[in-house]
Amino acid sequence: KAGVTQTPRYLIKTRGQQVTLSCSPISGHRSVSWYQQTPGQGLQFLFEYFSETQRNKGNFPGRFSGRQFSNSRSEMNVSTLELGDSALYLCASTSGSERSPLHFGNGTRLTVT
Amino acid sequence: GDSVTQMEGPVTLSEEAFLTINCTYTATGYPSLFWYVQYPGEGLQLLLKATKADDKGSNKGFEATYRKETTSFHLEKGSVQVSDSAVYFCALGSNTNAGKSTFGDGTTLTVKP
């Protein structure tokens, strides 16, 4: 079974630009979540999508948005990039049961200059 | 709100030494508990889990027991190997949304031959 796939692996953007990250979950998984990982803040929850609906949202500004398609693939968008948005963005999928673990992709490393 | 406090690192051990990484949590209800491991350049992988009090999760020689009375989920391994060098995260599952977990800050383990 293929794992969670994130593209691209690396991105370099300039302040003020916008960026879109993509995530393909494990086949059959309907829940997709996004996390931001930085050395200073650790792993922080951005949002979760389940069956194309945002089910939960973390404490991030509105510049961070996402969506999920009917095939469960998800995209995350960050507009008006700031230097502080430089991070590893991790996508995780799960079957949707509260007791199920998260299955992570290898992440997209975003660098904002 | 939910929180996870994880033993600060980094931790450096010699091969075949005993490992303990402490993890305590604050949560309402009876969430699932997880340990994830992250190798350089990769996303997080599930190491082990426990879904209810007194459950013991185990995998690859690692063990952790869900202790409700002390709200702890300490990770242990009797004899570490160089290949165990990685960052270890303790995580609390959500009672309501599978995709939203709360993570500790991570503990970096280095095992020297």
Side-chain angles (χ1 to χ4, degrees):
Chain A
K1 208 173 193 182
V4 176
T5 303
Q6 289 188 248
T7 56
R9 286 297 308 272
Y10 303 93
L11 269 175
I12 300 175
K13 291 287 185 178
T14 306
R15 271 182 301 175
Q17 288 186 313
Q18 75 165 20
V19 67
T20 300
L21 284 53
S22 181
C23 172
S24 292
I26 289 174
S27 178
H29 284 187
R30 296 164 65 191
S31 166
V32 174
S33 301
W34 290 88
Y35 288 80
Q36 182 194 65
Q37 186 177 23
T38 59
Q41 299 296 317
L43 273 157
Q44 292 190 289
F45 173 77
L46 281 154
F47 30 65
E48 180 200 7
Y49 285 86
F50 185 85
S51 294
E52 301 180 64
T53 300
Q54 188 180 86
R55 190 156 76 165
N56 220 326
K57 190 177 191 311
N59 189 24
F60 278 81
R63 300 184 297 105
F64 291 82
S65 63
R67 59 178 175 168
Q68 187 180 32
F69 302 95
S70 58
N71 61 358
S72 293
R73 192 177 69 85
S74 177
E75 287 183 347
M76 189 190 102
N77 186 76
V78 188
S79 62
T80 320
L81 283 165
E82 301 177 359
L83 294 179
D85 297 333
S86 294
L88 180 66
Y89 290 89
L90 292 166
C91 169
S93 75
T94 179
S95 62
S97 161
E98 289 79 23
R99 301 289 172 182
S100 298
L102 297 172
H103 298 264
F104 285 87
N106 285 332
T108 294
R109 171 75 62 186
L110 172 64
T111 302
V112 182
T113 62
Chain B
D2 294 351
S3 67
V4 175
T5 301
Q6 195 174 329
M7 172 176 151
E8 288 186 24
V11 174
T12 302
L13 295 173
S14 297
E15 208 165 21
E16 299 184 3
F18 184 83
L19 169 71
T20 298
I21 301 178
N22 290 336
C23 172
T24 57
Y25 67 91
T26 302
T28 54
Y30 303 98
S32 293
L33 297 172
F34 306 92
W35 277 99
Y36 291 89
V37 59
Q38 185 176 33
Y39 299 100
E42 298 183 8
L44 281 69
Q45 303 174 22
L46 176 69
L47 181 59
L48 52 84
K49 69 173 184 178
T51 58
K52 62 183 187 297
D54 299 325
D55 263 4
K56 178 186 279 188
S58 61
N59 186 27
K60 300 180 182 178
F62 291 90
E63 294 183 338
T65 302
Y66 190 157
R67 301 284 187 203
K68 180 168 162 288
E69 63 277 10
T70 54
T71 61
S72 65
F73 193 54
H74 305 320
L75 181 68
E76 296 182 336
K77 187 175 185 183
S79 177
V80 293
Q81 306 300 312
V82 172
S83 58
D84 294 327
S85 298
V87 183
Y88 292 82
F89 292 90
C90 183
L92 191 64
S94 167
N95 283 319
T96 53
N97 295 117
K100 184 182 179 186
S101 288
T102 302
F103 288 84
D105 290 337
T107 301
T108 300
L109 170 66
T110 301
V111 180
K112 301 198 169 188

Short mmCIF file of all heavy atoms in Angstrom, two decimals, chain A residues 9 31 33 35 37 43 45 48 55-56 88 90 94 96-102 104-106, chain B residues 30-32 34 36 38 41-44 46 49 51 89 94-101 103:
data_model
loop_
_atom_site.label_atom_id
_atom_site.label_comp_id
_atom_site.label_asym_id
_atom_site.label_seq_id
_atom_site.Cartn_x
_atom_site.Cartn_y
_atom_site.Cartn_z
N ARG A 9 8.97 18.36 -2.53
CA ARG A 9 9.76 18.13 -1.31
C ARG A 9 10.39 19.42 -0.80
O ARG A 9 10.51 19.60 0.41
CB ARG A 9 10.87 17.10 -1.56
CG ARG A 9 10.41 15.67 -1.69
CD ARG A 9 9.75 15.15 -0.41
NE ARG A 9 10.52 15.34 0.81
CZ ARG A 9 11.44 14.47 1.27
NH1 ARG A 9 11.73 13.38 0.59
NH2 ARG A 9 12.07 14.72 2.40
N SER A 31 -9.43 11.12 6.19
CA SER A 31 -9.00 12.27 7.00
C SER A 31 -7.58 12.66 6.61
O SER A 31 -6.68 11.82 6.56
CB SER A 31 -9.05 11.89 8.48
OG SER A 31 -8.34 12.85 9.26
N SER A 33 -4.72 15.69 7.60
CA SER A 33 -4.35 16.80 8.49
C SER A 33 -3.03 17.39 8.05
O SER A 33 -2.21 16.72 7.42
CB SER A 33 -4.20 16.30 9.93
OG SER A 33 -5.38 15.73 10.39
N TYR A 35 0.34 19.74 9.48
CA TYR A 35 1.09 20.22 10.64
C TYR A 35 2.28 21.03 10.17
O TYR A 35 2.88 20.76 9.12
CB TYR A 35 1.62 19.03 11.47
CG TYR A 35 0.55 18.29 12.23
CD1 TYR A 35 -0.26 17.34 11.61
CD2 TYR A 35 0.34 18.53 13.59
CE1 TYR A 35 -1.24 16.66 12.31
CE2 TYR A 35 -0.62 17.86 14.30
CZ TYR A 35 -1.41 16.92 13.66
OH TYR A 35 -2.38 16.25 14.36
N GLN A 37 6.09 22.12 11.27
CA GLN A 37 7.16 21.75 12.19
C GLN A 37 8.31 22.75 12.08
O GLN A 37 8.88 22.95 11.00
CB GLN A 37 7.68 20.33 11.90
CG GLN A 37 8.70 19.86 12.92
CD GLN A 37 9.18 18.44 12.68
OE1 GLN A 37 9.11 17.90 11.58
NE2 GLN A 37 9.66 17.79 13.74
N LEU A 43 5.85 20.75 16.63
CA LEU A 43 4.78 20.36 15.70
C LEU A 43 3.49 21.05 16.10
O LEU A 43 2.98 20.83 17.19
CB LEU A 43 4.56 18.85 15.77
CG LEU A 43 5.41 17.99 14.88
CD1 LEU A 43 5.51 16.59 15.44
CD2 LEU A 43 4.82 17.94 13.49
N PHE A 45 -0.52 21.89 14.93
CA PHE A 45 -1.65 21.49 14.09
C PHE A 45 -2.20 22.68 13.33
O PHE A 45 -2.48 23.73 13.91
CB PHE A 45 -2.73 20.89 15.00
CG PHE A 45 -4.02 20.58 14.32
CD1 PHE A 45 -4.15 19.45 13.53
CD2 PHE A 45 -5.12 21.39 14.50
CE1 PHE A 45 -5.36 19.15 12.92
CE2 PHE A 45 -6.34 21.11 13.90
CZ PHE A 45 -6.45 19.98 13.11
N GLU A 48 -7.59 20.00 9.78
CA GLU A 48 -7.93 18.65 9.37
C GLU A 48 -9.13 18.71 8.43
O GLU A 48 -10.08 19.47 8.67
CB GLU A 48 -8.29 17.77 10.57
CG GLU A 48 -8.65 16.35 10.15
CD GLU A 48 -9.45 15.60 11.20
OE1 GLU A 48 -9.85 16.20 12.22
OE2 GLU A 48 -9.69 14.39 11.00
N ARG A 55 -12.74 19.93 9.40
CA ARG A 55 -13.33 19.42 10.64
C ARG A 55 -12.75 20.09 11.88
O ARG A 55 -13.35 20.11 12.93
CB ARG A 55 -13.13 17.92 10.70
CG ARG A 55 -13.89 17.22 11.79
CD ARG A 55 -14.12 15.76 11.47
NE ARG A 55 -12.93 14.94 11.65
CZ ARG A 55 -12.97 13.60 11.71
NH1 ARG A 55 -14.11 12.97 11.62
NH2 ARG A 55 -11.86 12.90 11.83
N ASN A 56 -11.54 20.60 11.72
CA ASN A 56 -10.86 21.20 12.87
C ASN A 56 -9.80 22.17 12.36
O ASN A 56 -9.23 21.96 11.28
CB ASN A 56 -10.18 20.10 13.70
CG ASN A 56 -10.30 20.34 15.17
OD1 ASN A 56 -10.30 21.48 15.63
ND2 ASN A 56 -10.42 19.27 15.93
N LEU A 88 8.96 22.97 7.95
CA LEU A 88 8.63 21.71 7.31
C LEU A 88 7.13 21.51 7.48
O LEU A 88 6.63 21.53 8.62
CB LEU A 88 9.39 20.55 7.96
CG LEU A 88 9.14 19.15 7.38
CD1 LEU A 88 9.66 19.05 5.95
CD2 LEU A 88 9.79 18.09 8.26
N LEU A 90 4.04 19.10 7.21
CA LEU A 90 3.76 17.67 7.19
C LEU A 90 2.28 17.42 7.00
O LEU A 90 1.45 18.05 7.64
CB LEU A 90 4.23 17.02 8.50
CG LEU A 90 5.74 16.98 8.72
CD1 LEU A 90 6.05 16.65 10.17
CD2 LEU A 90 6.38 15.96 7.81
N THR A 94 -5.35 9.50 8.09
CA THR A 94 -5.82 8.46 8.99
C THR A 94 -7.18 7.99 8.51
O THR A 94 -7.85 8.68 7.74
CB THR A 94 -5.87 8.97 10.45
OG1 THR A 94 -6.36 7.94 11.30
CG2 THR A 94 -6.77 10.17 10.60
N GLY A 96 -9.81 7.89 10.13
CA GLY A 96 -10.90 8.72 10.64
C GLY A 96 -11.38 8.29 12.01
O GLY A 96 -12.07 9.04 12.69
N SER A 97 -10.99 7.10 12.45
CA SER A 97 -11.35 6.64 13.79
C SER A 97 -10.49 7.37 14.82
O SER A 97 -9.31 7.59 14.62
CB SER A 97 -11.11 5.14 13.90
OG SER A 97 -11.03 4.75 15.25
N GLU A 98 -11.11 7.73 15.95
CA GLU A 98 -10.40 8.51 16.96
C GLU A 98 -9.20 7.76 17.54
O GLU A 98 -8.27 8.37 18.06
CB GLU A 98 -11.33 8.88 18.12
CG GLU A 98 -12.39 9.92 17.79
CD GLU A 98 -13.55 9.33 17.04
OE1 GLU A 98 -13.78 8.10 17.14
OE2 GLU A 98 -14.25 10.07 16.35
N ARG A 99 -9.20 6.42 17.46
CA ARG A 99 -8.11 5.65 18.05
C ARG A 99 -7.01 5.33 17.06
O ARG A 99 -6.04 4.67 17.39
CB ARG A 99 -8.66 4.34 18.62
CG ARG A 99 -9.73 4.54 19.69
CD ARG A 99 -9.14 5.09 20.96
NE ARG A 99 -10.16 5.48 21.93
CZ ARG A 99 -9.88 6.02 23.10
NH1 ARG A 99 -8.63 6.27 23.44
NH2 ARG A 99 -10.85 6.36 23.94
N SER A 100 -7.17 5.78 15.83
CA SER A 100 -6.19 5.44 14.79
C SER A 100 -5.00 6.38 14.82
O SER A 100 -5.15 7.58 15.07
CB SER A 100 -6.86 5.54 13.41
OG SER A 100 -7.91 4.62 13.31
N PRO A 101 -3.80 5.86 14.53
CA PRO A 101 -2.62 6.73 14.48
C PRO A 101 -2.59 7.52 13.19
O PRO A 101 -3.32 7.24 12.24
CB PRO A 101 -1.47 5.72 14.52
CG PRO A 101 -2.03 4.51 13.86
CD PRO A 101 -3.49 4.47 14.24
N LEU A 102 -1.73 8.52 13.17
CA LEU A 102 -1.51 9.31 11.97
C LEU A 102 -0.42 8.66 11.13
O LEU A 102 0.55 8.12 11.65
CB LEU A 102 -1.07 10.72 12.37
CG LEU A 102 -2.09 11.54 13.15
CD1 LEU A 102 -1.45 12.84 13.64
CD2 LEU A 102 -3.31 11.83 12.32
N PHE A 104 2.22 9.81 8.33
CA PHE A 104 2.79 11.03 7.81
C PHE A 104 3.50 10.85 6.48
O PHE A 104 4.10 9.79 6.21
CB PHE A 104 3.80 11.60 8.81
CG PHE A 104 3.20 12.26 10.01
CD1 PHE A 104 2.87 11.50 11.13
CD2 PHE A 104 2.95 13.62 10.03
CE1 PHE A 104 2.31 12.10 12.25
CE2 PHE A 104 2.39 14.22 11.14
CZ PHE A 104 2.07 13.47 12.25
N GLY A 105 3.46 11.91 5.67
CA GLY A 105 4.33 12.00 4.52
C GLY A 105 5.70 12.50 4.94
O GLY A 105 5.92 12.79 6.13
N ASN A 106 6.61 12.62 3.98
CA ASN A 106 7.96 13.09 4.29
C ASN A 106 8.07 14.61 4.36
O ASN A 106 9.14 15.14 4.67
CB ASN A 106 8.96 12.54 3.29
CG ASN A 106 9.26 11.08 3.53
OD1 ASN A 106 9.16 10.60 4.66
ND2 ASN A 106 9.60 10.36 2.48
N TYR B 30 -10.33 9.93 27.93
CA TYR B 30 -9.35 8.84 27.85
C TYR B 30 -8.81 8.73 26.43
O TYR B 30 -9.24 7.86 25.67
CB TYR B 30 -10.02 7.53 28.29
CG TYR B 30 -10.61 7.65 29.68
CD1 TYR B 30 -11.97 7.91 29.86
CD2 TYR B 30 -9.80 7.54 30.80
CE1 TYR B 30 -12.50 8.04 31.14
CE2 TYR B 30 -10.33 7.66 32.07
CZ TYR B 30 -11.68 7.92 32.24
OH TYR B 30 -12.20 8.05 33.49
N PRO B 31 -7.89 9.62 26.10
CA PRO B 31 -7.38 9.63 24.73
C PRO B 31 -6.42 8.47 24.47
O PRO B 31 -5.92 7.84 25.41
CB PRO B 31 -6.62 10.96 24.67
CG PRO B 31 -6.13 11.16 26.07
CD PRO B 31 -7.25 10.63 26.96
N SER B 32 -6.15 8.21 23.22
CA SER B 32 -5.09 7.28 22.85
C SER B 32 -3.74 7.98 22.97
O SER B 32 -3.65 9.20 22.84
CB SER B 32 -5.29 6.79 21.42
OG SER B 32 -6.44 6.01 21.32
N PHE B 34 0.48 7.84 21.82
CA PHE B 34 1.35 7.36 20.75
C PHE B 34 2.80 7.80 20.98
O PHE B 34 3.05 8.85 21.57
CB PHE B 34 0.91 7.92 19.39
CG PHE B 34 -0.53 7.69 19.04
CD1 PHE B 34 -1.50 8.62 19.37
CD2 PHE B 34 -0.92 6.54 18.37
CE1 PHE B 34 -2.83 8.42 19.05
CE2 PHE B 34 -2.25 6.32 18.03
CZ PHE B 34 -3.20 7.26 18.38
N TYR B 36 5.92 8.44 18.27
CA TYR B 36 6.34 8.50 16.88
C TYR B 36 7.85 8.72 16.85
O TYR B 36 8.44 9.31 17.76
CB TYR B 36 5.67 9.67 16.15
CG TYR B 36 4.18 9.52 15.93
CD1 TYR B 36 3.27 9.95 16.88
CD2 TYR B 36 3.69 8.94 14.76
CE1 TYR B 36 1.91 9.82 16.69
CE2 TYR B 36 2.32 8.82 14.55
CZ TYR B 36 1.45 9.25 15.51
OH TYR B 36 0.09 9.12 15.30
N GLN B 38 11.10 10.10 14.21
CA GLN B 38 11.42 10.84 12.98
C GLN B 38 12.91 10.70 12.69
O GLN B 38 13.74 11.13 13.49
CB GLN B 38 11.03 12.31 13.13
CG GLN B 38 11.21 13.12 11.86
CD GLN B 38 10.74 14.56 12.00
OE1 GLN B 38 10.83 15.15 13.07
NE2 GLN B 38 10.20 15.14 10.93
N GLY B 41 15.35 13.92 7.56
CA GLY B 41 14.82 14.08 6.21
C GLY B 41 13.51 13.36 5.96
O GLY B 41 13.05 13.28 4.81
N GLU B 42 12.91 12.83 7.01
CA GLU B 42 11.66 12.08 6.83
C GLU B 42 10.55 12.64 7.70
O GLU B 42 10.78 13.45 8.59
CB GLU B 42 11.88 10.60 7.16
CG GLU B 42 12.89 9.92 6.28
CD GLU B 42 13.03 8.43 6.60
OE1 GLU B 42 12.23 7.92 7.41
OE2 GLU B 42 13.95 7.80 6.05
N GLY B 43 9.34 12.15 7.43
CA GLY B 43 8.23 12.50 8.30
C GLY B 43 8.22 11.59 9.51
O GLY B 43 9.14 10.79 9.71
N LEU B 44 7.19 11.72 10.33
CA LEU B 44 7.08 10.90 11.54
C LEU B 44 6.52 9.53 11.20
O LEU B 44 5.66 9.41 10.31
CB LEU B 44 6.17 11.58 12.56
CG LEU B 44 6.75 12.72 13.38
CD1 LEU B 44 7.02 13.96 12.55
CD2 LEU B 44 5.82 13.05 14.55
N LEU B 46 4.85 6.01 13.09
CA LEU B 46 4.33 5.46 14.33
C LEU B 46 5.29 4.41 14.87
O LEU B 46 5.70 3.50 14.15
CB LEU B 46 2.96 4.81 14.10
CG LEU B 46 2.35 4.10 15.30
CD1 LEU B 46 1.94 5.13 16.37
CD2 LEU B 46 1.15 3.26 14.88
N LYS B 49 1.63 2.38 20.13
CA LYS B 49 0.46 3.10 20.62
C LYS B 49 -0.19 2.32 21.75
O LYS B 49 0.04 1.12 21.93
CB LYS B 49 -0.54 3.31 19.49
CG LYS B 49 -1.21 2.04 19.02
CD LYS B 49 -2.31 2.34 18.01
CE LYS B 49 -3.04 1.05 17.62
NZ LYS B 49 -4.16 1.31 16.68
N THR B 51 -4.26 2.43 23.61
CA THR B 51 -5.56 3.06 23.48
C THR B 51 -6.35 3.16 24.77
O THR B 51 -7.36 3.86 24.82
CB THR B 51 -6.42 2.34 22.43
OG1 THR B 51 -6.56 0.97 22.83
CG2 THR B 51 -5.78 2.41 21.06
N PHE B 89 8.85 11.47 19.46
CA PHE B 89 7.75 12.36 19.86
C PHE B 89 6.68 11.55 20.58
O PHE B 89 6.21 10.53 20.07
CB PHE B 89 7.10 13.00 18.63
CG PHE B 89 7.96 13.98 17.91
CD1 PHE B 89 8.79 13.57 16.88
CD2 PHE B 89 7.95 15.33 18.26
CE1 PHE B 89 9.60 14.48 16.21
CE2 PHE B 89 8.75 16.25 17.59
CZ PHE B 89 9.58 15.81 16.57
N SER B 94 -6.80 12.79 19.82
CA SER B 94 -8.00 13.56 20.15
C SER B 94 -9.15 12.61 20.42
O SER B 94 -9.27 11.58 19.78
CB SER B 94 -8.36 14.48 18.99
OG SER B 94 -9.64 15.01 19.16
N ASN B 95 -10.01 13.00 21.35
CA ASN B 95 -11.18 12.18 21.64
C ASN B 95 -12.26 12.33 20.57
O ASN B 95 -13.18 11.52 20.48
CB ASN B 95 -11.78 12.57 22.99
CG ASN B 95 -10.99 12.02 24.14
OD1 ASN B 95 -10.54 10.88 24.10
ND2 ASN B 95 -10.78 12.83 25.17
N THR B 96 -12.14 13.40 19.78
CA THR B 96 -13.22 13.71 18.86
C THR B 96 -12.79 13.72 17.39
O THR B 96 -13.59 13.40 16.52
CB THR B 96 -13.83 15.08 19.18
OG1 THR B 96 -12.76 16.04 19.23
CG2 THR B 96 -14.56 15.04 20.51
N ASN B 97 -11.55 14.09 17.13
CA ASN B 97 -11.10 14.19 15.75
C ASN B 97 -9.79 13.44 15.55
O ASN B 97 -8.77 13.82 16.11
CB ASN B 97 -10.90 15.65 15.34
CG ASN B 97 -12.20 16.41 15.34
OD1 ASN B 97 -12.38 17.34 16.10
ND2 ASN B 97 -13.13 15.99 14.51
N ALA B 98 -9.84 12.41 14.72
CA ALA B 98 -8.66 11.56 14.56
C ALA B 98 -7.45 12.31 14.06
O ALA B 98 -6.32 11.96 14.38
CB ALA B 98 -9.01 10.43 13.59
N GLY B 99 -7.66 13.35 13.25
CA GLY B 99 -6.53 14.02 12.64
C GLY B 99 -5.80 15.00 13.51
O GLY B 99 -4.73 15.48 13.16
N LYS B 100 -6.37 15.32 14.66
CA LYS B 100 -5.76 16.35 15.51
C LYS B 100 -5.11 15.70 16.71
O LYS B 100 -5.79 15.27 17.63
CB LYS B 100 -6.80 17.36 15.98
CG LYS B 100 -6.19 18.49 16.78
CD LYS B 100 -7.21 19.47 17.28
CE LYS B 100 -6.53 20.56 18.10
NZ LYS B 100 -7.50 21.47 18.73
N SER B 101 -3.80 15.63 16.69
CA SER B 101 -3.05 15.12 17.83
C SER B 101 -2.23 16.25 18.44
O SER B 101 -1.91 17.22 17.77
CB SER B 101 -2.11 13.99 17.40
OG SER B 101 -2.82 12.82 17.10
N PHE B 103 1.34 17.06 20.25
CA PHE B 103 2.66 16.47 20.31
C PHE B 103 3.53 17.12 21.39
O PHE B 103 3.41 18.32 21.66
CB PHE B 103 3.37 16.63 18.96
CG PHE B 103 2.81 15.75 17.89
CD1 PHE B 103 1.71 16.14 17.16
CD2 PHE B 103 3.39 14.52 17.60
CE1 PHE B 103 1.17 15.32 16.17
CE2 PHE B 103 2.87 13.69 16.61
CZ PHE B 103 1.76 14.09 15.90
#
